[in-house]
Each structure stands twice: as structure tokens, then as C-alpha cells.
Amino acid sequence: MPFDVNTIPNISDIPNLLDIVFKGLLIGIIASAPMGPVGVLCVQRTLNKGRWYGFVTGCGAALSDMIYAGITGLGMGLVVDFVSEPSTRFYLQIIGSLLLMGFGLFTYRTDPTRNVRHSGNGKGTLTHNAVTAFLVTLSNPLIIFLFMALYAQFAFGLQPEKPVELVMGFASIVGGALLWWWGLTWLIDQIRTKFDTNGIKLINKIIGMLVILGSVIILLTTLTNLQFVK
């Protein structure tokens, strides 16, 4: 395969690359934050087994998220010219905001402790804990719709013909996910003696409210942007 010098970023591309990294980090954090089955599993393992067991559980989830983020990103990358059109982007961002608002409301109203399963006495290996979390997350392909909403909301379009942006974008999503799991396990480890199922519910409600608030702010910002169509 011939080497294409056009794929090498130059100084003028740095602001765009930083924008991709920032958006990727936000997407990774938002996609990981809701207290779904893996979130509850991560908290449980942190409490019962230790912080590293909780963190590798998050790593397994992040790996699965990377697969779905890649599938979504490459699919949307094929129509990047279409979604880059200002008027199209405007409507996609409105749709993305409404979807995120609904997702935030669903998160807020959901009881993540409903299906809590208490861990047994055996810790298992770190690899085993990561693999089980990976499989649990992989079994929920509906996360693709969340990634679609986030990509549309942040106008996060990655083109296969720009490998540097592609790699940095997906790496940033994974980095955001790992950043969330690292912070969550650190927090749980610090308040271990005071944390219970009510703490899980509280975190989930806070996350839901933040997602709703963020989607409303972005929706209002999008609606007041008068440059979307000529």
C-alpha cells in the first residue's frame, strides 16, 4: 500500500485534533457513566474485592464500548459529507439532544440496584473479572444508539481516509471511559464504609440529571444558532 503524505497532520490540524480528543473524552465518559449492570458490578467488586478488581471490570466494559464505538463511528464516517452539511448537522444535533434527554430521564428513573447480585467469596483473577465485564457489556448492543446520539450531538464524524484522526478519536473515547472508571473506583474506595445501594441510586440520579441538563443546554444552544441554514 503506497504511503500517502496527506495523512500526516500538520500544525494547522492541531486545533481540529484537540477538538476530536476533547469530544472523544466526553463521549467516553458519558457512555460509561450510567449505572447499568456493569456500573453496579464495578461498584460491587470495588466494595467486596478491592479497587483494582473494580477498575479492571471497567476496563472490560471500556473494551466492549470501543467495539461498539468503532462500529458506530465507521458507519457514520461513510456519510461524513452528508452529516457535515450545516442544515443536516443542525437537525441531527436536535435529534441527538432529544435522544440524550430521553436517555437521561430513563437513567434518572431506573433503579440500578434492582438486579444486584452479591459476589461470592472468591475474588477470581483480574483477567476473569475483566472478561466477564466485557461479555456483559457486549451483550447489550443497544449502546450503539447511545453512541449514535452522542456522535450526532457532538458532530463527531471520523473519516476512514484520515487514520490519525480516526485513531485519536477512538483512543480518546476509550480514554474517557477509563478515566470514568478510574475516578469511580477511587471514589468508592474512599467512602467504602459509608457506601451502600442508596449510594448507587444517588450516583445514578445525579448522572441522569446531569445528562438531562446537558442535553437541554445543548438543545437550546442549537436552536438559537441562526447560522444553521441559508
Side-chain angles (χ1 to χ4, degrees):
M1 180 177 179
F3 180 73
D4 187 359
V5 295
N6 293 324
T7 61
I8 301 177
N10 51 48
I11 297 297
S12 62
D13 292 326
I14 292 179
N16 183 51
L17 292 175
L18 292 177
D19 182 65
I20 289 174
V21 170
F22 177 70
K23 290 179 178 179
L25 288 172
L26 284 179
I27 290 173
I29 291 172
I30 296 173
S32 303
M35 286 286 116
V38 175
V40 175
L41 190 62
C42 177
V43 171
Q44 285 182 300
R45 287 178 174 175
T46 302
L47 293 173
N48 298 333
K49 302 180 180 182
R51 184 185 176 190
W52 281 109
Y53 286 89
F55 180 64
V56 297
T57 297
C59 290
L63 180 60
S64 178
D65 286 344
M66 181 180 68
I67 293 175
Y68 284 127
I71 293 172
T72 308
L74 291 176
M76 296 186 72
L78 297 176
V79 292
V80 68
D81 292 334
F82 173 72
V83 300
S84 296
E85 182 70 22
S87 59
T88 303
R89 180 184 297 181
F90 172 79
Y91 292 113
L92 284 176
Q93 286 180 326
I94 290 179
I95 294 172
S97 296
L98 294 175
L99 288 174
L100 282 178
M101 193 183 303
F103 178 76
L105 181 61
F106 175 79
T107 300
Y108 180 83
R109 298 184 61 182
T110 299
D111 179 4
T113 65
R114 183 173 51 189
N115 297 317
V116 167
R117 297 177 181 176
H118 298 285
S119 303
N121 294 326
K123 288 186 175 182
T125 64
L126 292 174
T127 301
H128 175 266
N129 281 260
V131 170
T132 53
F134 170 80
L135 294 176
V136 170
T137 309
L138 193 66
S139 67
N140 180 28
L142 294 179
I143 195 173
I144 287 180
F145 293 101
L146 174 57
F147 278 118
M148 290 176 64
L150 289 170
Y151 282 16
Q153 181 59 73
F154 291 105
F156 193 76
L158 300 177
Q159 303 177 53
E161 60 269 22
K162 296 183 177 180
V164 174
E165 293 184 4
L166 195 69
V167 171
M168 290 188 67
F170 290 144
S172 299
I173 293 175
V174 176
L178 294 178
L179 185 63
W180 167 258
W181 295 118
W182 179 266
L184 178 64
T185 53
W186 176 85
L187 176 63
I188 301 304
D189 192 54
Q190 296 300 308
I191 59 176
R192 163 188 304 276
T193 58
K194 302 177 181 179
F195 202 85
D196 55 14
T197 55
N198 289 327
I200 297 177
K201 293 178 183 178
L202 178 61
I203 290 178
N204 201 57
K205 287 187 178 297
I206 292 174
I207 292 169
M209 288 189 293
L210 290 176
V211 172
I212 293 172
L213 179 62
S215 64
V216 169
I217 292 174
I218 299 175
L219 177 61
L220 293 176
T221 302
T222 303
L223 289 175
T224 54
N225 181 9
L226 301 180
Q227 301 177 357
F228 69 91
V229 63
K230 296 287 186 179

